[in-house]
Amino acid sequence: HLCTGRQVGKTTVFAIKAANYLVNNPNHQVIIVSLTEDQAQLIIVMVLDYLQKNYKTYIKKEKQAPTKNKIYLNNGSSMLARPVGNTGDAVRGFTGDILILDEASRFNEFIFTAATPTLSTTGGKIWMCSTPFGKQGYFYKSWLNKHKRYKIWHQSSEEVLNNRKISYSWTKQQKQESLEYLAEEKKDKSELEYGQEYLGLFIEDLRQFFPDKIVIGAQTGKRPNLINKRADHYIGSDVGRLGDDPSTFEIVIKYDDRAVHVEHQTTKKTLLTQTANHIIGLNINYNFRKIYVDAEGIGIGVFDILISTEATKRKTEALLNSKKIIDYKASKKGSGGRTKMLKEDMYMNLLKVLEQGKIQLLDDPDIFQSFKTIQYEYTTDKRGKPFMHIFGNDSHIVEGLIRAVWCLKQKHLKLFVDYI
């Protein structure tokens, strides 16, 4: 059981450990379980890279050459990677000697119920690693280790960055830049958020914003084979940075007070012009009623292009997370009203729509994973006023959806560019 802060190399450690296990234990099988296919395949890539550098002759070729999901060795050992989604059903029926659970704190109980029997006939072992996700779930229970089943290791991001030895792959410059980045994160994040994400602490006051049950219940949709040109399509987009952060494009159809999620797309490492052109291209196919974009930070560049383009300028609307709004209901009750951010209102709107069963989401594990990472805490601003802090380390898809579903809040079609 390995509990750490973020970006400490836990997945790399498990990949090396798994590779050596396969080499030293003939005729054994290692099963890797992750929420999404990309996560599962990442470990396969890391294991294969290590084997090619250190045990190249062990790797089988031709018909049993490595794939994105499997590795076979000449000693009879093998590795299988499975994305388990929301239920864990994809791992049923397999038998393994080692079960690796990557980012285990994000797994729901269904997955553990389905996955752990893979070891029942081999007496195998579970290796799990993750950053914490509140005091809940199997990962937290195993961390408590009441029955002494696990060996427990804990490493914070601060410990790893400060204690890692300088080498060709970890230079003094890299160390200094990483420590400076960590210091900035400590300033930007709340104490609870930083404690979870970088100190690897189980924080009781951090709570999951979207319950698994209502998200899974809403994920019954499939992508339509044809685009319904007569439908009222709306798009919500969250603009990612040029690095590893993705830009997302979430498209819904509005039916009175309901929404149906019909398309989900992501792009990575794209220029602002490419992101804007992607939306313009989608508009040609879908003829959106509204285009909702996050126009803060680098998103303003995409917004400027869209409002300068004839086909999109009258339907583009900027929904800014930091825009302040007034809760007039509280004001009428004599409390003077509460200032809150539009981000909070957009998240509460999506939560309400999910709870009321007024949205059908696409059945996609990446979408579920994004919902799963959203957490919240109650804290205070610099003036001591309370507010809800909502965050997530894989929030991009949900950030697109909260904008797309905002169409349900707007009753009248606006015929001009509106900057909120």
Side-chain angles (χ1 to χ4, degrees):
H1 187 295
L2 179 58
C3 177
T4 74
R6 294 181 60 76
Q7 299 299 313
V8 301
K10 56 183 177 292
T11 303
T12 302
V13 169
F14 266 32
I16 294 172
K17 184 177 175 67
N20 284 314
Y21 180 89
L22 291 172
V23 169
N24 296 319
N25 294 274
N27 302 311
H28 280 219
Q29 176 158 275
V30 174
I31 300 176
I32 301 167
V33 173
S34 289
L35 284 174
T36 67
E37 189 169 28
D38 287 345
Q39 289 175 320
Q41 291 176 354
L42 176 62
I43 301 182
I44 287 284
V45 170
M46 289 181 171
V47 170
L48 184 60
D49 180 66
Y50 181 81
L51 289 171
Q52 287 176 333
K53 291 178 179 178
N54 297 278
Y55 301 100
K56 192 171 184 178
T57 58
Y58 278 75
I59 304 171
K60 279 201 170 185
K61 300 178 180 179
E62 299 178 353
K63 290 184 178 180
Q64 289 191 315
T67 68
K68 292 181 178 180
N69 299 303
K70 292 181 180 180
I71 297 175
Y72 293 99
L73 300 189
N74 291 320
N75 66 357
S77 290
S78 62
M79 172 173 283
L80 171 69
R82 298 293 292 176
V84 293
N86 304 337
T87 63
D89 288 343
V91 79
R92 292 183 184 275
F94 292 96
T95 300
D97 299 278
I98 298 293
L99 177 64
I100 297 178
L101 307 174
D102 187 40
E103 290 299 342
S105 68
R106 269 66 177 176
F107 290 11
N108 62 43
E109 296 291 342
F110 298 119
I111 294 175
F112 288 101
T113 301
T116 52
T118 60
L119 306 173
S120 60
T121 60
T122 63
K125 297 180 179 179
I126 298 174
W127 300 352
M128 68 175 78
C129 65
S130 188
T131 301
F133 191 67
K135 290 186 175 181
Q136 50 84 35
Y138 189 85
F139 186 72
Y140 173 63
K141 292 176 184 177
S142 61
W143 166 259
L144 296 177
N145 207 19
K146 291 182 178 179
H147 303 295
K148 308 301 179 184
R149 181 181 183 184
Y150 297 97
K151 293 181 180 180
I152 306 293
W153 284 270
H154 176 270
Q155 286 285 305
S156 73
S157 302
E158 291 180 354
E159 290 172 322
V160 172
L161 293 183
N162 280 296
N163 297 332
R164 184 177 177 183
K165 294 181 179 180
I166 300 300
S167 66
Y168 73 93
S169 61
W170 181 245
T171 64
K172 289 183 178 179
Q173 182 179 350
Q174 286 176 308
K175 179 177 181 177
Q176 183 61 33
E177 290 175 350
S178 295
L179 288 173
E180 289 174 357
Y181 176 79
L182 196 62
E184 290 298 320
E185 286 287 275
K186 195 169 187 176
K187 292 178 183 177
D188 292 341
K189 296 186 182 301
S190 70
E191 184 177 346
L192 295 180
E193 186 180 1
Y194 183 83
Q196 174 179 273
E197 298 300 315
Y198 292 105
L199 300 183
L201 302 177
F202 291 92
I203 308 295
E204 191 166 19
D205 290 336
L206 293 181
R207 308 165 192 172
Q208 186 173 336
F209 190 84
F210 296 100
D212 289 347
K213 185 177 181 179
I214 63 171
V215 176
I216 293 172
Q219 283 195 283
T220 58
K222 303 293 182 184
R223 282 181 174 84
N225 295 323
L226 298 173
I227 297 173
N228 182 358
K229 296 286 188 178
R230 296 183 179 182
D232 291 338
H233 289 97
Y234 296 78
I235 184 173
S237 178
D238 181 55
V239 181
R241 293 172 293 182
L242 188 57
D244 292 330
D245 287 342
S247 294
T248 64
F249 312 89
E250 309 303 325
I251 301 173
V252 303
I253 296 178
K254 179 182 178 182
Y255 298 100
D256 296 324
D257 63 345
R258 296 183 64 256
V260 176
H261 191 198
V262 294
E263 185 57 76
H264 152 66
Q265 296 182 14
T266 60
T267 58
K268 278 189 175 183
K269 298 182 179 180
T270 52
L271 301 173
L272 296 179
T273 51
Q274 293 173 312
T275 301
N277 287 334
H278 190 85
I279 294 174
I280 293 169
L282 289 171
N283 182 61
I284 293 173
N285 293 327
Y286 288 91
N287 189 25
F288 299 121
R289 287 296 186 96
K290 278 289 184 182
I291 299 171
Y292 300 113
V293 297
D294 174 14
E296 289 187 304
I298 62 170
I300 189 64
V302 173
F303 177 76
D304 286 343
I305 295 172
L306 293 175
I307 63 172
S308 300
T309 302
E310 184 63 32
T312 56
K313 67 182 183 181
R314 291 180 176 83
K315 54 181 69 174
T316 300
E317 188 169 321
L319 298 178
L320 310 183
N321 282 346
S322 63
K323 175 66 179 178
K324 291 185 177 180
I325 57 178
I326 302 296
D327 184 345
Y328 287 101
K329 291 182 179 179
S331 180
K332 290 179 179 179
K333 293 178 181 179
S335 64
R338 182 171 71 92
T339 302
K340 60 180 178 179
M341 300 300 178
L342 181 58
K343 176 178 180 177
E344 180 183 335
D345 210 34
M346 289 191 290
Y347 269 92
M348 293 302 294
N349 177 60
L350 179 54
L351 178 61
K352 180 186 72 174
V353 170
L354 281 165
E355 290 176 341
Q356 294 176 347
K358 292 184 177 180
I359 184 171
Q360 182 185 57
L361 296 171
L362 289 172
D363 185 9
D364 185 310
D366 289 334
I367 295 172
F368 177 80
Q369 170 70 355
S370 185
F371 273 99
K372 181 76 174 178
T373 66
I374 305 300
Q375 292 179 276
Y376 72 97
E377 61 174 319
Y378 289 104
T379 185
T380 56
D381 61 20
K382 294 179 180 179
R383 294 174 295 178
K385 291 188 176 182
F387 74 96
M388 180 187 291
H389 173 49
I390 303 171
F391 66 96
N393 57 38
D394 188 16
S395 62
H396 306 289
I397 294 172
V398 175
E399 286 282 327
L401 277 168
I402 62 173
R403 287 170 171 80
V405 177
W406 193 248
C407 67
L408 299 180
K409 292 276 285 187
Q410 297 188 329
K411 304 299 183 183
H412 305 289
L413 181 64
K414 298 183 180 180
L415 300 178
F416 55 87
V417 177
D418 191 3
Y419 194 106
I420 294 182

